[in-house]
Amino acid sequence: MRLSKYFLPTLKENPADAQIVSHRLMMRAGMIRQAASGIYSWLPMGFKVLRKLENIVHEEQIRAGHNPMLMPTLQSADLWRESGRYDDYGKEMLRITDRHGRDMLYGPTNEELITDIFRSSVQSHKDLPLTLYHIQWKFRDEVRPRFGVMRGREFFMKDGYNFDVDKPSAMHAYNRHLVSYLRTYERMGLKAIPMRADSGPIGGDDTHEFLVLADTGESEVFYDKNILDLHLGDREVDYDDWDQCAGIMEEWTTPYARTDETHDEDAFNEVPEDRRMSSRGIEVGQIFYFGTKYSDAMNAKVVNADNQEVPVHMGSHGIGVSRLIGAIIEASHDDKGIIWPEAVTPFGVGIVNLKQGDDDTDAACEGLYKAAVKAGLDPLYDDRNERAGGKFANMDLIGLPWRITVGPRGLKNGVVELTSRKTGESEEMTADAVIEKLIAIYAEV
Ligand code: ATP
Ligand code: MG
């Protein structure tokens, strides 16, 4: 993409209403624009990052054996009356009446709709286990939408639902989700810690939230420092292997890690004092096992191996895809702007032309740009007629992990400069070598 053709409405000043750094930077980097309180338009660069996160979530869910689908944003109130949640959900639910006077709602979550789909087509344990998920916009009429996309009213969420014949099988689905979530966050360059949590209005017994540590997080968290050393890395996971998934679950849930809702001071005090940490965290996902809560209410049954009709065991599992963008920025920025992890960066590399209009420099930039496009590096070429200082500040603000600077002085020696956004370190090399190096870097991502 050439910057001269790209819609990137950056702001020089910090927007007055943005209280936290991710919100400020998303606004300043021209990623989002508020359409109404807690509702945002995703401008091209914000949209690009959102799509990247969505793709990672899809890839990891499909890898875990889960079925992608798409349910609508608008739902009929009837199903929610069946489960009893039409009344229970309260003011967070946006209620709508259509022209025929029928009660509708903008879905805050999808347990009812998915249970209805399930019960209409599955009757036998032979069709289980089954996990269905989608990534769709949700609406919750939050009392205090704030922090930009972090606590919006409309937000983009992956929600998945497992259907199993009994509790042991449903607990494997729970563990499988935990593992797939660990992998998802790691791929995004994030450390998200599973913590024992409270089940809240969705109901149920077993639940973990995934938290990214950040001062601006809304949750208070307590954890054993050792949990920070755990990595899934590139270990081979067989998602059908109950023992392996349970083992990973145990590895991550043995060190103490809880949110304030379930915090237990006595248990925490058993952690050696120098490892006891408390801080703030951003909830980027949650997994639940809630058993037969919805299948009982909505009569979703299967015939088991003993030929008995039993209510299906379920769980629901969510990832806050749009909130994750805020969380990633909270975890990775400096005073100049965003620092994107390579896995989610909107563009692989920025190219800065130091002397736009100079024939040799322009030609070198063109050549480099085309080579980078061809190599799949998805470059953003700043081809505007601007001062170098402004171009650098802009690149730092939007936070691409790598920048290639091309100017007449270097070209005289046959080199360009490659700079890391994270470390600020630069090295001079030939244009070919830069492309090779970036190809190697992105091959690892
Ligand atoms: P919170 O406690 O932050 O209100 P929640 O526990 O009600 O969230 P869940 O039902 O667990 O939310 O939804 C799954 C995920 O969706 C959350 O872990 C979070 O990342 C994201 N999410 C929930 N509410 C919002 C929101 N208002 N704006 C953006 N993302 C949200
Ligand atoms: Mg939650």
Side-chain angles (χ1 to χ4, degrees):
M1 180 59 71
R2 292 166 198 275
L3 195 48
S4 61
K5 294 197 166 62
Y6 198 51
F7 183 63
L8 187 68
T10 53
L11 306 175
K12 290 238 154 43
E13 303 297 326
N14 277 326
D17 59 335
Q19 299 166 39
I20 62 170
V21 69
S22 57
H23 187 194
R24 281 199 290 274
L25 288 174
M26 287 183 78
M27 299 287 295
R28 285 195 45 212
M31 296 176 68
I32 50 169
R33 198 183 144 77
Q34 184 172 310
S37 170
I39 303 176
Y40 291 87
S41 297
W42 293 78
L43 306 184
M45 204 174 76
F47 178 60
K48 207 154 182 249
V49 179
L50 191 66
R51 279 284 170 265
K52 285 209 164 175
L53 297 188
E54 184 185 9
N55 281 340
I56 292 176
V57 173
H58 271 305
E59 282 175 16
E60 294 308 324
Q61 288 307 299
I62 291 166
R63 200 194 305 279
H66 304 160
N67 289 254
M69 62 180 293
L70 187 60
M71 288 176 270
T73 52
L74 295 183
Q75 303 180 23
S76 157
D78 294 343
L79 290 174
W80 289 72
R81 290 203 174 95
E82 252 188 80
S83 74
R85 282 207 297 180
Y86 190 64
D87 294 327
D88 292 351
Y89 218 95
K91 289 194 165 168
E92 273 195 16
M93 180 185 276
L94 180 64
R95 295 156 207 261
I96 303 161
T97 310
D98 74 9
R99 69 196 295 167
H100 304 292
R102 283 187 286 248
D103 293 329
M104 314 276 294
L105 55 100
Y106 193 133
T109 174
N110 283 58
E111 282 80 6
E112 284 77 359
L113 195 52
I114 200 80
T115 305
D116 183 51
I117 291 168
F118 176 86
R119 70 180 171 184
S120 68
S121 7
V122 180
Q123 275 84 38
S124 164
H125 72 99
K126 289 181 193 143
D127 296 324
L128 302 183
L130 177 68
T131 295
L132 301 167
Y133 80 92
H134 72 161
I135 307 179
Q136 176 62 292
W137 295 95
K138 304 291 185 297
F139 196 94
R140 294 182 190 170
D141 205 351
E142 304 272 357
V143 208
R144 273 205 304 157
R146 58 191 179 144
F147 302 159
V149 300
M150 205 85 96
R151 181 163 298 283
R153 294 199 293 166
E154 191 185 45
F155 60 97
F156 203 42
M157 177 172 133
K158 172 261 162 181
D159 43 322
Y161 306 87
N162 68 283
F163 299 91
D164 287 86
V165 72
D166 54 21
K167 182 164 180 184
S169 176
M171 289 317 290
H172 170 58
Y174 186 84
N175 297 344
R176 198 174 61 227
H177 277 89
L178 178 120
V179 179
S180 72
Y181 280 24
L182 290 173
R183 179 142 275 169
T184 302
Y185 300 124
E186 268 188 23
R187 270 191 67 186
M188 292 173 181
L190 270 181
K191 179 144 268 283
I193 308 172
M195 301 200 179
R196 269 271 294 276
D198 190 46
S199 55
I202 293 186
D205 312 319
D206 290 281
T207 177
H208 282 85
E209 287 178 356
F210 290 77
L211 286 113
V212 171
L213 302 177
D215 296 340
T216 46
E218 293 185 284
S219 316
E220 196 179 2
V221 300
F222 302 85
Y223 60 97
D224 176 343
K225 198 169 77 172
N226 278 3
I227 202 165
L228 300 176
D229 298 332
L230 297 177
H231 298 281
L232 205 53
D234 48 15
R235 72 178 93 166
E236 198 71 38
V237 175
D238 175 356
Y239 283 102
D240 293 326
D241 183 336
W242 286 33
D243 291 339
Q244 190 191 14
C245 292
I248 295 171
M249 159 63 101
E250 203 176 302
E251 195 181 335
W252 258 267
T253 51
T254 303
Y256 188 95
R258 297 193 186 187
T259 62
D260 53 358
E261 291 163 343
T262 56
H263 180 54
D264 173 348
E265 202 61 40
D266 290 339
F268 191 47
N269 285 335
E270 282 170 26
V271 178
E273 196 175 352
D274 61 328
R275 295 195 342 229
R276 254 179 258 156
M277 312 296 281
S278 73
S279 65
R280 319 248 352 137
I282 301 166
E283 182 194 327
V284 293
Q286 183 160 16
I287 53 177
F288 280 105
Y289 163 72
F290 47 69
T292 59
K293 179 179 155 100
Y294 294 92
S295 41
D296 284 336
M298 297 180 66
N299 205 25
K301 290 188 174 141
V302 289
V303 174
N304 69 12
D306 301 327
N307 228 2
Q308 293 163 323
E309 258 203 344
V310 291
V312 70
H313 285 250
M314 292 174 60
S316 69
H317 315 279
I319 294 181
V321 181
S322 48
R323 177 181 287 181
L324 268 167
I325 299 187
I328 290 169
I329 297 174
E330 290 294 326
S332 186
H333 67 270
D334 61 15
D335 51 10
K336 295 187 207 133
I338 303 168
I339 305 175
W340 290 114
E342 269 122 7
V344 303
T345 183
F347 295 94
V349 59
I351 300 173
V352 169
N353 182 336
L354 286 182
K355 202 168 181 194
Q356 205 74 43
D358 172 66
D359 286 348
D360 290 344
T361 315
D362 288 358
C365 283
E366 274 308 313
L368 197 57
Y369 175 67
K370 289 198 174 115
V373 170
K374 201 166 159 208
L377 293 169
D378 197 11
L380 180 66
Y381 170 25
D382 191 344
D383 58 344
R384 297 167 309 155
N385 211 345
E386 291 265 336
R387 285 183 314 112
K391 289 188 176 185
F392 288 148
N394 192 57
M395 282 292 174
D396 285 344
L397 171 64
I398 66 175
L400 310 184
W402 298 97
R403 186 188 78 207
I404 308 172
T405 311
V406 184
R409 219 163 30 137
L411 288 177
K412 235 188 272 165
N413 304 319
V415 294
V416 297
E417 190 184 59
L418 180 66
T419 307
S420 155
R421 174 68 182 86
K422 196 168 173 180
T423 65
E425 282 162 22
S426 296
E427 53 181 325
E428 292 194 326
M429 47 176 104
T430 64
D432 287 349
V434 167
I435 299 288
E436 295 278 297
K437 178 163 177 166
L438 290 173
I439 290 174
I441 288 168
Y442 280 100
E444 298 279 300
V445 174

mmCIF file of all heavy atoms in Angstrom, residues 405-430:
data_model
loop_
_atom_site.group_PDB
_atom_site.id
_atom_site.type_symbol
_atom_site.label_atom_id
_atom_site.label_comp_id
_atom_site.label_asym_id
_atom_site.label_seq_id
_atom_site.Cartn_x
_atom_site.Cartn_y
_atom_site.Cartn_z
ATOM 1 N N THR A 405 14.555 2.775 5.653
ATOM 2 C CA THR A 405 14.738 4.178 5.306
ATOM 3 C C THR A 405 15.642 4.265 4.082
ATOM 4 O O THR A 405 16.720 3.660 4.050
ATOM 5 C CB THR A 405 15.376 4.935 6.484
ATOM 6 O OG1 THR A 405 14.640 4.609 7.668
ATOM 7 C CG2 THR A 405 15.306 6.435 6.256
ATOM 8 N N VAL A 406 15.152 5.001 3.088
ATOM 9 C CA VAL A 406 15.888 5.088 1.826
ATOM 10 C C VAL A 406 16.212 6.553 1.550
ATOM 11 O O VAL A 406 15.309 7.393 1.483
ATOM 12 C CB VAL A 406 15.035 4.524 0.666
ATOM 13 C CG1 VAL A 406 15.834 4.516 -0.641
ATOM 14 C CG2 VAL A 406 14.531 3.121 0.990
ATOM 15 N N GLY A 407 17.508 6.855 1.424
ATOM 16 C CA GLY A 407 17.904 8.243 1.154
ATOM 17 C C GLY A 407 19.107 8.282 0.235
ATOM 18 O O GLY A 407 19.803 7.276 0.069
ATOM 19 N N PRO A 408 19.367 9.466 -0.353
ATOM 20 C CA PRO A 408 20.451 9.586 -1.331
ATOM 21 C C PRO A 408 21.820 9.219 -0.765
ATOM 22 O O PRO A 408 22.628 8.610 -1.461
ATOM 23 C CB PRO A 408 20.431 11.070 -1.723
ATOM 24 C CG PRO A 408 19.215 11.664 -1.129
ATOM 25 C CD PRO A 408 18.643 10.724 -0.143
ATOM 26 N N ARG A 409 22.040 9.530 0.535
ATOM 27 C CA ARG A 409 23.370 9.274 1.080
ATOM 28 C C ARG A 409 23.690 7.780 1.120
ATOM 29 O O ARG A 409 24.745 7.342 0.675
ATOM 30 C CB ARG A 409 23.487 9.858 2.483
ATOM 31 C CG ARG A 409 24.850 10.485 2.715
ATOM 32 C CD ARG A 409 24.825 11.389 3.900
ATOM 33 N NE ARG A 409 23.828 10.909 4.864
ATOM 34 C CZ ARG A 409 24.008 10.845 6.169
ATOM 35 N NH1 ARG A 409 25.150 11.217 6.681
ATOM 36 N NH2 ARG A 409 23.069 10.426 6.971
ATOM 37 N N GLY A 410 22.764 7.013 1.639
ATOM 38 C CA GLY A 410 22.961 5.561 1.694
ATOM 39 C C GLY A 410 23.043 4.961 0.303
ATOM 40 O O GLY A 410 23.880 4.089 0.032
ATOM 41 N N LEU A 411 22.175 5.446 -0.575
ATOM 42 C CA LEU A 411 22.131 4.870 -1.919
ATOM 43 C C LEU A 411 23.471 5.016 -2.638
ATOM 44 O O LEU A 411 23.850 4.161 -3.436
ATOM 45 C CB LEU A 411 21.012 5.520 -2.740
ATOM 46 C CG LEU A 411 19.581 5.119 -2.331
ATOM 47 C CD1 LEU A 411 18.562 5.895 -3.162
ATOM 48 C CD2 LEU A 411 19.360 3.612 -2.472
ATOM 49 N N LYS A 412 24.176 6.110 -2.311
ATOM 50 C CA LYS A 412 25.501 6.309 -2.917
ATOM 51 C C LYS A 412 26.423 5.132 -2.590
ATOM 52 O O LYS A 412 27.255 4.726 -3.383
ATOM 53 C CB LYS A 412 26.118 7.613 -2.395
ATOM 54 C CG LYS A 412 26.521 8.550 -3.543
ATOM 55 C CD LYS A 412 27.297 9.736 -3.043
ATOM 56 C CE LYS A 412 26.336 10.865 -2.650
ATOM 57 N NZ LYS A 412 26.982 11.896 -1.849
ATOM 58 N N ASN A 413 26.227 4.559 -1.364
ATOM 59 C CA ASN A 413 27.014 3.384 -0.967
ATOM 60 C C ASN A 413 26.279 2.078 -1.224
ATOM 61 O O ASN A 413 26.681 1.030 -0.732
ATOM 62 C CB ASN A 413 27.367 3.455 0.524
ATOM 63 C CG ASN A 413 28.097 4.735 0.858
ATOM 64 O OD1 ASN A 413 28.957 5.184 0.095
ATOM 65 N ND2 ASN A 413 27.732 5.347 1.975
ATOM 66 N N GLY A 414 25.167 2.186 -1.911
ATOM 67 C CA GLY A 414 24.413 0.970 -2.254
ATOM 68 C C GLY A 414 23.647 0.363 -1.090
ATOM 69 O O GLY A 414 23.326 -0.826 -1.109
ATOM 70 N N VAL A 415 23.339 1.173 -0.051
ATOM 71 C CA VAL A 415 22.629 0.602 1.105
ATOM 72 C C VAL A 415 21.387 1.399 1.491
ATOM 73 O O VAL A 415 21.246 2.575 1.152
ATOM 74 C CB VAL A 415 23.549 0.514 2.360
ATOM 75 C CG1 VAL A 415 24.664 -0.482 2.134
ATOM 76 C CG2 VAL A 415 24.076 1.878 2.752
ATOM 77 N N VAL A 416 20.520 0.722 2.184
ATOM 78 C CA VAL A 416 19.370 1.352 2.844
ATOM 79 C C VAL A 416 19.494 0.989 4.323
ATOM 80 O O VAL A 416 20.353 0.203 4.701
ATOM 81 C CB VAL A 416 18.037 0.852 2.248
ATOM 82 C CG1 VAL A 416 17.920 1.221 0.792
ATOM 83 C CG2 VAL A 416 17.878 -0.659 2.452
ATOM 84 N N GLU A 417 18.573 1.554 5.139
ATOM 85 C CA GLU A 417 18.694 1.313 6.572
ATOM 86 C C GLU A 417 17.459 0.551 7.066
ATOM 87 O O GLU A 417 16.331 0.914 6.733
ATOM 88 C CB GLU A 417 18.793 2.663 7.265
ATOM 89 C CG GLU A 417 19.167 2.609 8.715
ATOM 90 C CD GLU A 417 19.140 4.007 9.327
ATOM 91 O OE1 GLU A 417 18.079 4.665 9.298
ATOM 92 O OE2 GLU A 417 20.195 4.434 9.828
ATOM 93 N N LEU A 418 17.704 -0.485 7.848
ATOM 94 C CA LEU A 418 16.590 -1.247 8.436
ATOM 95 C C LEU A 418 16.562 -0.966 9.935
ATOM 96 O O LEU A 418 17.565 -1.122 10.627
ATOM 97 C CB LEU A 418 16.783 -2.747 8.192
ATOM 98 C CG LEU A 418 15.688 -3.653 8.768
ATOM 99 C CD1 LEU A 418 14.350 -3.424 8.069
ATOM 100 C CD2 LEU A 418 16.084 -5.132 8.658
ATOM 101 N N THR A 419 15.388 -0.535 10.443
ATOM 102 C CA THR A 419 15.286 -0.149 11.850
ATOM 103 C C THR A 419 14.192 -0.959 12.529
ATOM 104 O O THR A 419 13.091 -1.115 11.994
ATOM 105 C CB THR A 419 14.944 1.351 11.972
ATOM 106 O OG1 THR A 419 15.900 2.083 11.202
ATOM 107 C CG2 THR A 419 14.981 1.818 13.418
ATOM 108 N N SER A 420 14.524 -1.430 13.715
ATOM 109 C CA SER A 420 13.529 -2.158 14.512
ATOM 110 C C SER A 420 12.751 -1.155 15.357
ATOM 111 O O SER A 420 13.340 -0.348 16.070
ATOM 112 C CB SER A 420 14.241 -3.173 15.421
ATOM 113 O OG SER A 420 13.423 -3.449 16.548
ATOM 114 N N ARG A 421 11.433 -1.230 15.296
ATOM 115 C CA ARG A 421 10.605 -0.314 16.079
ATOM 116 C C ARG A 421 10.788 -0.569 17.566
ATOM 117 O O ARG A 421 10.755 0.346 18.379
ATOM 118 C CB ARG A 421 9.130 -0.497 15.672
ATOM 119 C CG ARG A 421 8.120 0.279 16.499
ATOM 120 C CD ARG A 421 8.241 1.771 16.277
ATOM 121 N NE ARG A 421 7.304 2.521 17.097
ATOM 122 C CZ ARG A 421 7.531 2.903 18.353
ATOM 123 N NH1 ARG A 421 8.670 2.608 18.941
ATOM 124 N NH2 ARG A 421 6.618 3.597 19.008
ATOM 125 N N LYS A 422 10.986 -1.838 17.919
ATOM 126 C CA LYS A 422 11.032 -2.207 19.327
ATOM 127 C C LYS A 422 12.328 -1.746 19.993
ATOM 128 O O LYS A 422 12.309 -1.134 21.050
ATOM 129 C CB LYS A 422 10.915 -3.723 19.436
ATOM 130 C CG LYS A 422 10.562 -4.219 20.800
ATOM 131 C CD LYS A 422 10.194 -5.683 20.670
ATOM 132 C CE LYS A 422 9.972 -6.340 22.004
ATOM 133 N NZ LYS A 422 9.621 -7.748 21.781
ATOM 134 N N THR A 423 13.457 -2.020 19.340
ATOM 135 C CA THR A 423 14.738 -1.703 19.978
ATOM 136 C C THR A 423 15.292 -0.364 19.504
ATOM 137 O O THR A 423 16.186 0.185 20.126
ATOM 138 C CB THR A 423 15.801 -2.769 19.638
ATOM 139 O OG1 THR A 423 16.048 -2.715 18.218
ATOM 140 C CG2 THR A 423 15.326 -4.155 20.012
ATOM 141 N N GLY A 424 14.783 0.134 18.389
ATOM 142 C CA GLY A 424 15.304 1.379 17.834
ATOM 143 C C GLY A 424 16.624 1.180 17.101
ATOM 144 O O GLY A 424 17.192 2.114 16.551
ATOM 145 N N GLU A 425 17.138 -0.052 17.092
ATOM 146 C CA GLU A 425 18.429 -0.296 16.451
ATOM 147 C C GLU A 425 18.303 -0.329 14.931
ATOM 148 O O GLU A 425 17.320 -0.829 14.400
ATOM 149 C CB GLU A 425 19.005 -1.634 16.923
ATOM 150 C CG GLU A 425 19.616 -1.538 18.303
ATOM 151 C CD GLU A 425 19.797 -2.899 18.951
ATOM 152 O OE1 GLU A 425 19.848 -3.916 18.224
ATOM 153 O OE2 GLU A 425 19.867 -2.922 20.199
ATOM 154 N N SER A 426 19.340 0.212 14.288
ATOM 155 C CA SER A 426 19.338 0.253 12.822
ATOM 156 C C SER A 426 20.560 -0.454 12.281
ATOM 157 O O SER A 426 21.602 -0.480 12.925
ATOM 158 C CB SER A 426 19.419 1.701 12.337
ATOM 159 O OG SER A 426 18.281 2.404 12.729
ATOM 160 N N GLU A 427 20.411 -0.996 11.090
ATOM 161 C CA GLU A 427 21.608 -1.476 10.397
ATOM 162 C C GLU A 427 21.491 -1.166 8.913
ATOM 163 O O GLU A 427 20.396 -1.100 8.357
ATOM 164 C CB GLU A 427 21.855 -2.967 10.645
ATOM 165 C CG GLU A 427 20.681 -3.864 10.357
ATOM 166 C CD GLU A 427 20.984 -5.333 10.658
ATOM 167 O OE1 GLU A 427 22.132 -5.768 10.448
ATOM 168 O OE2 GLU A 427 20.055 -6.041 11.080
ATOM 169 N N GLU A 428 22.656 -0.933 8.317
ATOM 170 C CA GLU A 428 22.669 -0.625 6.886
ATOM 171 C C GLU A 428 22.940 -1.900 6.114
ATOM 172 O O GLU A 428 23.801 -2.698 6.488
ATOM 173 C CB GLU A 428 23.770 0.396 6.591
ATOM 174 C CG GLU A 428 23.447 1.758 7.193
ATOM 175 C CD GLU A 428 24.345 2.848 6.632
ATOM 176 O OE1 GLU A 428 25.520 2.553 6.342
ATOM 177 O OE2 GLU A 428 23.851 3.980 6.481
ATOM 178 N N MET A 429 22.218 -2.072 5.039
ATOM 179 C CA MET A 429 22.452 -3.234 4.186
ATOM 180 C C MET A 429 21.875 -2.966 2.800
ATOM 181 O O MET A 429 21.182 -1.963 2.607
ATOM 182 C CB MET A 429 21.858 -4.504 4.803
ATOM 183 C CG MET A 429 20.449 -4.389 5.320
ATOM 184 S SD MET A 429 19.919 -6.002 5.895
ATOM 185 C CE MET A 429 20.024 -5.830 7.592
ATOM 186 N N THR A 430 22.165 -3.856 1.889
ATOM 187 C CA THR A 430 21.639 -3.653 0.540
ATOM 188 C C THR A 430 20.138 -3.928 0.548
ATOM 189 O O THR A 430 19.626 -4.618 1.436
ATOM 190 C CB THR A 430 22.292 -4.629 -0.470
ATOM 191 O OG1 THR A 430 21.914 -5.961 -0.099
ATOM 192 C CG2 THR A 430 23.808 -4.490 -0.480
#
